[in-house]
Amino acid sequence: MKIGLTKNDYPIRRNILDKVSGCEYVFLRNNNNLFHSLSTVKNLIFRKKSNIEGKYYFYQKPTIDVLHLYNDINYSSQKWVVSFETLVPRFLETRNDHQKTEPQHIKNSKTADGLKQIAKKNCLGIVSISQASANIQLELLKHYPEFKDQIEAKLTVIHPPQEIIPRDSSNIYNNIETFNLIFVGTQFHLKGGVEMVDVLRKLKSKYNFKLKIISSFKTDNYVTKVSEKEAQETKELLKKEDWITLFENIPNEKVLELIKESHFGLLPTWSDTYGFSVLEMQAAGVPVITTDIRALPEINNENCGWLINIPQNRLKQALYYTDEQKEELKKAIKSQLENIIEDIFANPEQLKEKSKNSVERIKKNHDPDIFSEKLKSIYSKA
Protein backbone atom coordinates (compact mmCIF):
# COMPACT_ATOMS: atom_id res chain seq x y z
CA MET A 1 0.00 0.00 0.00
CA LYS A 2 1.32 3.45 -0.95
CA ILE A 3 0.82 6.27 1.58
CA GLY A 4 1.16 9.83 0.29
CA LEU A 5 2.73 12.49 2.52
CA THR A 6 2.93 16.24 1.92
CA LYS A 7 5.72 17.19 4.33
CA ASN A 8 8.79 15.69 5.98
CA ASP A 9 8.72 17.67 9.22
CA TYR A 10 8.87 16.47 12.83
CA PRO A 11 5.12 15.81 13.35
CA ILE A 12 4.98 13.67 10.19
CA ARG A 13 8.11 11.73 11.13
CA ARG A 14 6.91 11.30 14.73
CA ASN A 15 3.36 10.17 13.97
CA ILE A 16 3.09 8.86 10.41
CA LEU A 17 6.26 8.12 8.39
CA ASP A 18 7.32 4.43 8.41
CA LYS A 19 4.89 3.65 11.21
CA VAL A 20 3.00 0.87 9.37
CA SER A 21 5.12 -2.05 8.19
CA GLY A 22 4.53 -3.10 4.61
CA CYS A 23 3.52 0.40 3.50
CA GLU A 24 5.50 2.47 1.01
CA TYR A 25 5.64 6.19 1.79
CA VAL A 26 5.65 8.73 -1.05
CA PHE A 27 6.38 12.44 -0.63
CA LEU A 28 4.15 14.52 -2.93
CA ARG A 29 5.22 17.71 -4.66
CA ASN A 30 3.77 21.07 -3.63
CA ASN A 31 3.06 21.98 -7.24
CA ASN A 32 0.67 19.04 -7.44
CA ASN A 33 -1.58 20.89 -4.97
CA LEU A 34 -4.15 23.13 -6.70
CA PHE A 35 -4.24 25.59 -3.79
CA HIS A 36 -0.45 25.96 -3.89
CA SER A 37 -0.47 26.52 -7.67
CA LEU A 38 -3.26 29.10 -7.53
CA SER A 39 -1.47 30.92 -4.73
CA THR A 40 1.76 31.00 -6.73
CA VAL A 41 0.00 32.39 -9.84
CA LYS A 42 -1.87 35.00 -7.78
CA ASN A 43 1.38 36.11 -6.16
CA LEU A 44 3.21 36.35 -9.50
CA ILE A 45 0.46 38.26 -11.33
CA PHE A 46 -1.21 40.31 -8.62
CA ARG A 47 1.55 40.36 -5.98
CA LYS A 48 -0.96 39.06 -3.45
CA LYS A 49 -0.49 36.09 -1.17
CA SER A 50 -3.29 33.65 -0.38
CA ASN A 51 -3.74 31.82 2.90
CA ILE A 52 -3.64 28.17 1.81
CA GLU A 53 -2.81 26.78 5.23
CA GLY A 54 -4.42 23.44 5.88
CA LYS A 55 -5.84 22.94 2.36
CA TYR A 56 -4.89 20.35 -0.27
CA TYR A 57 -6.42 19.49 -3.64
CA PHE A 58 -4.40 17.16 -5.87
CA TYR A 59 -5.63 17.79 -9.40
CA GLN A 60 -3.01 15.47 -10.90
CA LYS A 61 -4.04 12.38 -8.96
CA PRO A 62 -0.90 10.83 -7.43
CA THR A 63 -0.31 7.09 -7.67
CA ILE A 64 -1.01 6.41 -4.02
CA ASP A 65 -3.66 4.46 -2.13
CA VAL A 66 -4.10 6.82 0.83
CA LEU A 67 -3.10 10.43 1.44
CA HIS A 68 -2.17 10.91 5.11
CA LEU A 69 -2.20 14.55 6.20
CA TYR A 70 -1.31 16.21 9.50
CA ASN A 71 -3.59 19.05 10.67
CA ASP A 72 -4.68 19.55 7.02
CA ILE A 73 -7.78 18.94 4.86
CA ASN A 74 -8.04 17.20 1.47
CA TYR A 75 -10.51 18.73 -1.00
CA SER A 76 -9.98 16.24 -3.85
CA SER A 77 -11.52 12.80 -4.46
CA GLN A 78 -8.34 11.07 -3.21
CA LYS A 79 -8.90 8.70 -0.26
CA TRP A 80 -7.31 10.22 2.80
CA VAL A 81 -6.68 10.20 6.54
CA VAL A 82 -5.74 13.08 8.80
CA SER A 83 -3.91 13.05 12.13
CA PHE A 84 -4.17 16.17 14.28
CA GLU A 85 -2.86 17.67 17.50
CA THR A 86 -5.60 20.23 18.25
CA LEU A 87 -8.47 20.08 15.72
CA VAL A 88 -9.32 20.03 12.01
CA PRO A 89 -9.84 22.10 9.99
CA ARG A 90 -7.02 24.13 11.49
CA PHE A 91 -7.87 27.52 10.02
CA LEU A 92 -7.53 31.04 11.42
CA GLU A 93 -11.28 30.75 12.01
CA THR A 94 -10.88 27.73 14.32
CA ARG A 95 -7.40 27.32 15.77
CA ASN A 96 -7.67 29.77 18.69
CA ASP A 97 -11.26 29.07 19.79
CA HIS A 98 -10.24 26.56 22.48
CA GLN A 99 -7.76 29.01 24.08
CA LYS A 100 -10.34 31.48 25.31
CA THR A 101 -11.35 31.59 28.96
CA GLU A 102 -14.73 30.29 27.81
CA PRO A 103 -14.19 28.41 24.52
CA GLN A 104 -16.33 29.81 21.71
CA HIS A 105 -16.65 29.57 17.94
CA ILE A 106 -18.31 31.75 15.29
CA LYS A 107 -19.90 29.55 12.67
CA ASN A 108 -18.62 30.29 9.16
CA SER A 109 -18.78 28.87 5.63
CA LYS A 110 -15.03 28.17 5.32
CA THR A 111 -15.04 25.90 8.37
CA ALA A 112 -18.31 24.30 7.25
CA ASP A 113 -16.75 23.49 3.87
CA GLY A 114 -13.72 21.94 5.58
CA LEU A 115 -15.93 19.78 7.79
CA LYS A 116 -17.95 18.78 4.72
CA GLN A 117 -14.78 17.30 3.20
CA ILE A 118 -14.12 15.31 6.38
CA ALA A 119 -17.69 13.99 6.37
CA LYS A 120 -17.34 12.61 2.82
CA LYS A 121 -16.77 8.89 2.26
CA ASN A 122 -13.26 9.33 0.84
CA CYS A 123 -12.09 10.55 4.27
CA LEU A 124 -11.31 7.22 5.95
CA GLY A 125 -10.62 8.56 9.43
CA ILE A 126 -9.46 11.42 11.61
CA VAL A 127 -6.86 10.50 14.22
CA SER A 128 -6.45 12.61 17.35
CA ILE A 129 -3.11 12.17 19.13
CA SER A 130 -4.82 12.74 22.52
CA GLN A 131 -8.22 12.70 24.17
CA ALA A 132 -7.79 16.41 24.97
CA SER A 133 -7.57 17.19 21.25
CA ALA A 134 -10.51 14.89 20.51
CA ASN A 135 -12.54 16.90 23.03
CA ILE A 136 -11.60 20.15 21.26
CA GLN A 137 -12.72 18.58 17.96
CA LEU A 138 -16.04 17.54 19.49
CA GLU A 139 -16.51 21.07 20.84
CA LEU A 140 -16.19 22.44 17.28
CA LEU A 141 -18.66 19.87 15.93
CA LYS A 142 -21.36 21.13 18.32
CA HIS A 143 -21.64 24.18 16.04
CA TYR A 144 -22.11 22.05 12.90
CA PRO A 145 -24.73 19.40 13.73
CA GLU A 146 -25.15 18.60 10.02
CA PHE A 147 -21.70 16.94 10.04
CA LYS A 148 -21.40 15.87 13.68
CA ASP A 149 -22.49 12.21 13.43
CA GLN A 150 -20.50 11.37 10.29
CA ILE A 151 -17.30 12.91 11.61
CA GLU A 152 -17.63 11.62 15.16
CA ALA A 153 -17.92 8.08 13.74
CA LYS A 154 -14.52 8.54 12.06
CA LEU A 155 -12.81 10.08 15.08
CA THR A 156 -10.34 7.91 16.99
CA VAL A 157 -7.68 8.63 19.61
CA ILE A 158 -4.31 6.97 18.99
CA HIS A 159 -1.47 8.16 21.19
CA PRO A 160 1.92 8.41 19.42
CA PRO A 161 4.21 5.38 19.45
CA GLN A 162 7.38 5.32 21.52
CA GLU A 163 10.19 2.77 21.57
CA ILE A 164 11.73 1.89 24.92
CA ILE A 165 15.13 3.58 25.33
CA PRO A 166 17.51 1.12 27.05
CA ARG A 167 19.26 2.40 30.13
CA ASP A 168 20.83 0.67 33.12
CA SER A 169 18.81 2.20 35.98
CA SER A 170 19.85 -0.37 38.59
CA ASN A 171 22.33 1.93 40.34
CA ILE A 172 21.56 5.42 39.04
CA TYR A 173 19.15 6.15 41.91
CA ASN A 174 21.33 4.70 44.67
CA ASN A 175 23.20 7.10 46.99
CA ILE A 176 22.77 10.18 44.82
CA GLU A 177 25.35 12.85 45.61
CA THR A 178 24.52 15.27 42.79
CA PHE A 179 21.07 15.27 41.19
CA ASN A 180 21.12 15.56 37.38
CA LEU A 181 18.10 17.47 36.04
CA ILE A 182 17.12 17.95 32.40
CA PHE A 183 14.87 20.34 30.49
CA VAL A 184 14.07 19.85 26.79
CA GLY A 185 12.09 22.56 25.01
CA THR A 186 12.71 24.53 21.81
CA GLN A 187 10.79 27.52 23.19
CA PHE A 188 12.43 28.09 26.58
CA HIS A 189 10.03 30.76 27.87
CA LEU A 190 6.86 29.06 26.60
CA LYS A 191 7.85 25.76 28.21
CA GLY A 192 8.21 27.32 31.66
CA GLY A 193 12.00 27.60 31.59
CA VAL A 194 12.14 30.98 33.34
CA GLU A 195 9.95 29.82 36.22
CA MET A 196 12.00 26.62 36.51
CA VAL A 197 15.32 28.49 36.76
CA ASP A 198 13.87 30.96 39.30
CA VAL A 199 12.87 28.05 41.54
CA LEU A 200 16.19 26.22 41.15
CA ARG A 201 18.22 29.35 41.91
CA LYS A 202 16.29 29.62 45.16
CA LEU A 203 17.12 26.02 46.06
CA LYS A 204 20.76 26.04 44.94
CA SER A 205 22.19 26.94 48.35
CA LYS A 206 20.38 24.03 50.01
CA TYR A 207 20.87 21.15 47.58
CA ASN A 208 23.48 19.72 45.25
CA PHE A 209 22.25 19.46 41.65
CA LYS A 210 23.08 20.32 38.05
CA LEU A 211 20.73 21.23 35.20
CA LYS A 212 21.06 20.49 31.50
CA ILE A 213 18.97 22.74 29.22
CA ILE A 214 18.36 21.69 25.61
CA SER A 215 16.74 24.61 23.79
CA SER A 216 17.13 26.85 20.77
CA PHE A 217 15.35 29.66 22.68
CA LYS A 218 12.80 30.19 19.93
CA THR A 219 10.19 32.83 20.73
CA ASP A 220 6.42 32.58 20.49
CA ASN A 221 4.03 35.36 19.53
CA TYR A 222 0.84 33.96 21.01
CA VAL A 223 1.50 33.17 24.69
CA THR A 224 4.56 34.70 26.37
CA LYS A 225 5.22 37.16 23.49
CA VAL A 226 8.89 37.34 24.47
CA SER A 227 11.04 39.13 21.90
CA GLU A 228 14.12 37.57 20.27
CA LYS A 229 16.28 40.12 22.09
CA GLU A 230 14.82 39.08 25.47
CA ALA A 231 15.26 35.40 24.63
CA GLN A 232 18.93 35.91 23.74
CA GLU A 233 19.50 37.93 26.92
CA THR A 234 18.04 35.07 28.95
CA LYS A 235 20.34 32.60 27.20
CA GLU A 236 23.44 34.71 27.89
CA LEU A 237 22.54 35.00 31.59
CA LEU A 238 22.10 31.23 31.86
CA LYS A 239 25.55 30.67 30.35
CA LYS A 240 27.05 32.42 33.38
CA GLU A 241 25.57 29.87 35.83
CA ASP A 242 28.14 27.19 36.71
CA TRP A 243 25.41 24.67 37.57
CA ILE A 244 23.69 24.97 34.17
CA THR A 245 24.89 23.48 30.87
CA LEU A 246 23.23 24.71 27.67
CA PHE A 247 22.82 22.68 24.48
CA GLU A 248 21.50 24.08 21.21
CA ASN A 249 20.61 22.35 17.94
CA ILE A 250 22.01 18.96 18.86
CA PRO A 251 20.92 15.72 17.14
CA ASN A 252 18.23 13.59 18.76
CA GLU A 253 20.78 10.86 19.52
CA LYS A 254 22.69 13.32 21.72
CA VAL A 255 19.45 14.43 23.40
CA LEU A 256 18.68 10.81 24.30
CA GLU A 257 22.18 10.32 25.74
CA LEU A 258 21.70 13.38 27.97
CA ILE A 259 18.27 12.14 29.05
CA LYS A 260 19.74 8.76 30.07
CA GLU A 261 22.22 10.54 32.37
CA SER A 262 19.41 12.34 34.23
CA HIS A 263 17.58 11.57 37.46
CA PHE A 264 14.40 13.45 36.52
CA GLY A 265 13.09 15.84 33.88
CA LEU A 266 11.19 19.13 33.94
CA LEU A 267 8.53 20.52 31.62
CA PRO A 268 6.56 23.15 33.61
CA THR A 269 5.04 24.38 30.36
CA TRP A 270 2.50 27.14 29.79
CA SER A 271 1.27 25.63 26.54
CA ASP A 272 1.77 22.29 24.80
CA THR A 273 -0.32 20.25 22.38
CA TYR A 274 1.26 17.00 23.53
CA GLY A 275 4.72 16.68 25.13
CA PHE A 276 6.86 14.35 23.01
CA SER A 277 9.95 14.96 25.16
CA VAL A 278 7.99 13.52 28.09
CA LEU A 279 7.54 10.25 26.18
CA GLU A 280 11.27 10.01 25.46
CA MET A 281 12.18 10.67 29.08
CA GLN A 282 9.68 8.13 30.39
CA ALA A 283 10.86 5.57 27.81
CA ALA A 284 14.36 5.88 29.31
CA GLY A 285 13.00 5.57 32.85
CA VAL A 286 13.37 9.28 33.66
CA PRO A 287 10.28 10.55 35.52
CA VAL A 288 9.11 14.07 34.66
CA ILE A 289 7.54 17.07 36.39
CA THR A 290 4.92 18.62 34.07
CA THR A 291 1.95 20.92 34.21
CA ASP A 292 -1.51 19.36 33.85
CA ILE A 293 -2.73 20.96 30.59
CA ARG A 294 -3.91 19.41 27.32
CA ALA A 295 -2.52 15.88 26.82
CA LEU A 296 -0.01 16.00 29.69
CA PRO A 297 -2.25 14.42 32.37
CA GLU A 298 -2.97 11.62 29.86
CA ILE A 299 0.73 10.77 29.64
CA ASN A 300 1.93 11.82 33.10
CA ASN A 301 0.57 11.25 36.60
CA GLU A 302 1.60 10.96 40.23
CA ASN A 303 2.33 7.26 39.78
CA CYS A 304 5.11 7.82 37.24
CA GLY A 305 5.92 11.52 37.69
CA TRP A 306 4.55 14.75 39.15
CA LEU A 307 1.83 17.17 38.01
CA ILE A 308 1.61 20.93 38.58
CA ASN A 309 -2.01 22.06 38.63
CA ILE A 310 -2.41 25.38 36.81
CA PRO A 311 -5.45 27.58 36.03
CA GLN A 312 -7.15 26.33 32.86
CA ASN A 313 -10.44 26.33 30.97
CA ARG A 314 -12.75 23.35 30.52
CA LEU A 315 -10.79 22.16 27.46
CA LYS A 316 -7.59 21.92 29.53
CA GLN A 317 -6.00 25.01 27.99
CA ALA A 318 -3.95 27.16 30.37
CA LEU A 319 -5.31 30.66 30.98
CA TYR A 320 -2.80 33.34 29.97
CA TYR A 321 -4.74 35.99 28.04
CA THR A 322 -4.61 38.81 30.58
CA ASP A 323 -1.72 40.10 32.70
CA GLU A 324 -3.56 38.90 35.79
CA GLN A 325 -3.92 35.39 34.34
CA LYS A 326 -0.22 35.29 33.44
CA GLU A 327 0.78 36.28 36.98
CA GLU A 328 -1.50 33.59 38.45
CA LEU A 329 0.01 31.06 36.08
CA LYS A 330 3.59 31.94 37.03
CA LYS A 331 2.73 31.88 40.73
CA ALA A 332 1.08 28.43 40.47
CA ILE A 333 4.00 26.95 38.52
CA LYS A 334 6.70 28.31 40.81
CA SER A 335 5.07 27.48 44.14
CA GLN A 336 4.16 23.91 43.21
CA LEU A 337 7.41 23.24 41.37
CA GLU A 338 9.41 24.31 44.42
CA ASN A 339 7.38 21.99 46.68
CA ILE A 340 7.76 19.05 44.29
CA ILE A 341 11.52 19.47 43.84
CA GLU A 342 12.12 19.88 47.58
CA ASP A 343 10.14 16.68 48.18
CA ILE A 344 12.24 14.83 45.59
CA PHE A 345 15.51 15.99 47.16
CA ALA A 346 14.25 15.09 50.63
CA ASN A 347 12.84 11.71 49.54
CA PRO A 348 14.92 10.48 46.59
CA GLU A 349 13.78 6.90 47.08
CA GLN A 350 10.59 7.78 45.15
CA LEU A 351 12.63 8.22 41.95
CA LYS A 352 13.37 4.52 41.50
CA GLU A 353 9.68 3.54 41.69
CA LYS A 354 8.53 6.34 39.39
CA SER A 355 11.31 5.43 36.95
CA LYS A 356 10.07 1.84 36.74
CA ASN A 357 6.44 2.97 36.39
CA SER A 358 7.39 5.41 33.61
CA VAL A 359 8.81 2.60 31.48
CA GLU A 360 5.79 0.38 32.18
CA ARG A 361 3.44 3.19 31.17
CA ILE A 362 5.22 3.59 27.82
CA LYS A 363 5.10 -0.16 27.16
CA LYS A 364 1.38 -0.27 27.91
CA ASN A 365 0.18 2.87 26.13
CA HIS A 366 2.66 3.62 23.32
CA ASP A 367 3.56 0.21 21.87
CA PRO A 368 4.70 0.82 18.25
CA ASP A 369 3.21 -2.50 17.09
CA ILE A 370 -0.23 -1.71 18.51
CA PHE A 371 -0.02 1.79 17.02
CA SER A 372 0.84 0.27 13.64
CA GLU A 373 -2.11 -2.11 13.73
CA LYS A 374 -4.57 0.65 14.63
CA LEU A 375 -3.36 2.87 11.78
CA LYS A 376 -3.31 -0.08 9.37
CA SER A 377 -6.95 -0.84 10.14
CA ILE A 378 -7.87 2.71 9.06
CA TYR A 379 -5.81 2.45 5.87
CA SER A 380 -7.47 -0.87 5.05
CA LYS A 381 -10.78 0.93 4.43
CA ALA A 382 -9.32 2.31 1.19
Side-chain angles (χ1 to χ4, degrees), residues 13 21 52 96 98 132 190 279:
R13 295 194 300 274
S21 59
I52 61 169
N96 296 322
H98 66 285
L190 179 67
L279 296 189

Side-chain angles (χ1 to χ4, degrees), residues 141-155:
L141 291 176
K142 289 178 183 177
H143 300 275
Y144 300 88
E146 65 271 34
F147 304 119
K148 183 178 182 295
D149 290 344
Q150 301 101 300
I151 294 176
E152 196 169 341
K154 301 180 186 187
L155 174 62

Side-chain angles (χ1 to χ4, degrees), residues 29 50 103 254 310 364:
R29 295 176 302 166
S50 300
K254 176 64 174 175
I310 59 176
K364 180 181 177 182

Side-chain angles (χ1 to χ4, degrees), residues 110-365:
K110 182 180 175 182
T111 300
D113 191 35
L115 292 172
K116 181 181 178 181
Q117 309 309 313
I118 300 174
K120 288 180 178 178
K121 288 184 178 180
N122 65 314
C123 176
L124 308 178
I126 65 170
V127 180
S128 173
I129 67 172
S130 71
Q131 186 58 53
S133 296
N135 292 340
I136 293 170
Q137 184 69 46
L138 293 171
E139 181 75 18
L140 175 66
L141 291 176
K142 289 178 183 177
H143 300 275
Y144 300 88
E146 65 271 34
F147 304 119
K148 183 178 182 295
D149 290 344
Q150 301 101 300
I151 294 176
E152 196 169 341
K154 301 180 186 187
L155 174 62
T156 184
V157 176
I158 310 179
H159 282 269
Q162 176 63 56
E163 298 276 0
I164 296 300
I165 299 170
R167 164 176 99 146
D168 183 6
S169 300
S170 56
N171 296 316
I172 195 169
Y173 291 115
N174 293 337
N175 304 315
I176 302 171
E177 293 183 2
T178 300
F179 288 87
N180 292 320
L181 286 53
I182 191 164
F183 169 96
V184 182
T186 302
Q187 297 164 304
F188 183 77
H189 292 77
L190 179 67
K191 305 300 182 180
V194 171
E195 290 72 41
M196 170 189 70
V197 170
D198 283 349
V199 168
L200 291 174
R201 277 199 185 107
K202 187 177 177 183
L203 298 176
K204 195 70 192 75
S205 61
K206 294 170 62 178
Y207 304 100
N208 193 16
F209 60 84
K210 291 187 178 297
L211 171 67
K212 294 183 177 72
I213 294 175
I214 303 171
S215 179
S216 59
F217 290 82
K218 277 183 66 176
T219 58
D220 70 278
N221 57 11
Y222 68 99
V223 181
T224 63
K225 299 180 180 177
V226 170
S227 69
E228 287 191 23
K229 182 175 180 290
E230 290 172 309
Q232 291 306 306
E233 287 173 350
T234 298
K235 183 171 71 172
E236 293 306 314
L237 284 172
L238 294 175
K239 286 180 178 179
K240 296 176 182 178
E241 301 281 2
D242 60 2
W243 53 279
I244 295 177
T245 307
L246 292 185
F247 298 87
E248 291 184 74
N249 304 315
I250 58 176
N252 189 247
E253 294 75 20
K254 176 64 174 175
V255 175
L256 297 183
E257 288 304 313
L258 294 173
I259 285 174
K260 289 193 284 186
E261 297 170 359
S262 306
H263 292 110
F264 64 92
L266 303 105
L267 189 69
T269 183
W270 290 33
S271 180
D272 222 308
T273 55
Y274 197 80
F276 291 111
S277 64
V278 175
L279 296 189
E280 291 182 332
M281 291 185 198
Q282 290 176 339
V286 177
V288 193
I289 305 170
T290 72
T291 48
D292 65 340
I293 53 168
R294 293 293 292 272
L296 287 168
E298 297 175 46
I299 63 174
N300 196 28
N301 54 58
E302 298 295 333
N303 186 49
C304 64
W306 305 264
L307 285 174
I308 298 169
N309 307 120
I310 59 176
Q312 57 194 262
N313 67 17
R314 58 185 172 84
L315 293 177
K316 303 202 71 61
Q317 184 74 25
L319 299 177
Y320 44 65
Y321 266 88
T322 67
D323 289 341
E324 291 77 11
Q325 287 177 337
K326 285 182 179 179
E327 286 307 310
E328 285 300 312
L329 189 58
K330 292 176 186 177
K331 189 187 301 182
I333 290 174
K334 289 166 77 168
S335 64
Q336 292 177 61
L337 183 59
E338 181 177 349
N339 290 338
I340 291 168
I341 293 176
E342 287 225 74
D343 184 63
I344 294 171
F345 291 157
N347 303 285
E349 64 277 4
Q350 65 185 292
L351 289 167
K352 186 178 288 188
E353 184 68 17
K354 287 180 187 278
S355 170
K356 183 185 76 171
N357 292 343
S358 291
V359 175
E360 290 305 313
R361 201 203 70 76
I362 293 294
K363 288 179 180 178
K364 180 181 177 182
N365 298 298

